[in-house]
């Protein structure tokens, strides 16, 4: 006897037998992907390493202010950190098996945007005041406008 409701169920419960027939696959016989340094646990460790690298760089920027080497390293580490984060979001929500075309388009768009962000950081560092001074000016923009009035 099933569950009785006033309206029909939107989703019906599926059993392994209804999905796979009479035989449920044995997990031992499912092919496993080969280990790869770019994917899996190495990828997770690389994300954590980039995150840990950003902490002393940001602390140095707050304590010592603008410095050319620190600004260049921030211009590399911060876009890579954002790239890895958004890459994980794309991997979770636009899985390649389900969305083959849009996942590939979004992946290449992410690489393009990351490249543009690194190029913009390089331009700010080489032709302008540097990332730390740039963000300091942005942060204090309202304060300087209030003092002028």
């Amino acid at each position: 006897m099933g569950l009785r409701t006033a309206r029909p169920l939107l989703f019906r419960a599926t059993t392994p037998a209804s999905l796979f027939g009479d035989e449920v696959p044995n997990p031992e016989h499912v092919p496993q992907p080969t280990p790869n340094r770019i994917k899996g646990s190495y990828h997770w460790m690389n994300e954590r390493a980039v995150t840990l690298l950003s902490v002393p760089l940001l602390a140095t920027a707050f304590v010592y202010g603008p410095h050319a080497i620190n600004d260049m390293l921030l211009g590399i580490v911060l876009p890579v950190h954002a790239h890895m984060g958004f890459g994980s979001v794309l991997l979770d929500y636009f899985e390649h098996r389900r969305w083959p075309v849009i996942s590939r388009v979004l992946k290449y768009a992410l690489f393009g945007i990351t490249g543009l962000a690194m190029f913009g950081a390089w331009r700010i560092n080489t032709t302008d005041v540097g990332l730390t001074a740039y963000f300091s000016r942005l942060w204090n923009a309202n304060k300087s406008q209030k003092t002028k009035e």
Side-chain angles (χ1 to χ4, degrees):
M1 184 167 172
L3 178 67
R4 294 184 182 185
T5 60
R7 30 187 150 132
L9 294 174
L10 292 176
F11 301 104
R12 301 213 188 286
T14 57
T15 60
S18 66
L19 290 174
F20 302 110
D22 292 335
E23 185 179 329
V24 177
N26 187 353
E28 294 174 2
H29 300 297
V30 175
Q32 296 296 319
T34 58
N36 189 344
R37 288 187 178 267
I38 303 300
K39 299 177 181 176
S41 62
Y42 290 113
H43 181 71
W44 186 86
M45 289 180 357
N46 291 340
E47 284 180 350
R48 299 305 168 258
V50 168
T51 303
L52 289 175
L53 277 174
S54 65
V55 171
L57 290 175
L58 290 172
T60 304
F62 280 119
V63 172
Y64 293 111
H67 190 271
I69 295 173
N70 193 39
D71 285 345
M72 276 298 186
L73 290 174
L74 280 172
I76 295 168
V77 170
L78 292 180
V80 168
H81 177 72
H83 176 86
M84 288 181 162
F86 283 116
S88 295
V89 170
L90 292 179
L91 186 66
D92 287 343
Y93 291 105
F94 296 99
E95 189 178 10
H96 184 70
R97 288 179 291 171
R98 184 170 178 158
W99 309 93
V101 175
I102 197 165
S103 69
R104 184 169 288 142
V105 168
L106 290 174
K107 182 176 80 170
Y108 289 132
L110 178 63
F111 275 105
I113 290 169
T114 303
L116 284 174
M118 286 181 142
F119 177 73
W122 175 76
R123 289 287 296 193
I124 289 172
N125 284 330
T126 56
T127 61
D128 206 357
V129 293
L131 283 178
T132 306
Y134 181 78
F135 284 116
S136 175
R137 287 180 181 179
L138 281 177
W139 188 267
N140 296 321
N142 283 340
K143 293 177 186 174
S144 64
Q145 284 180 350
K146 289 179 182 177
T147 57
K148 287 180 183 178
E149 293 175 356

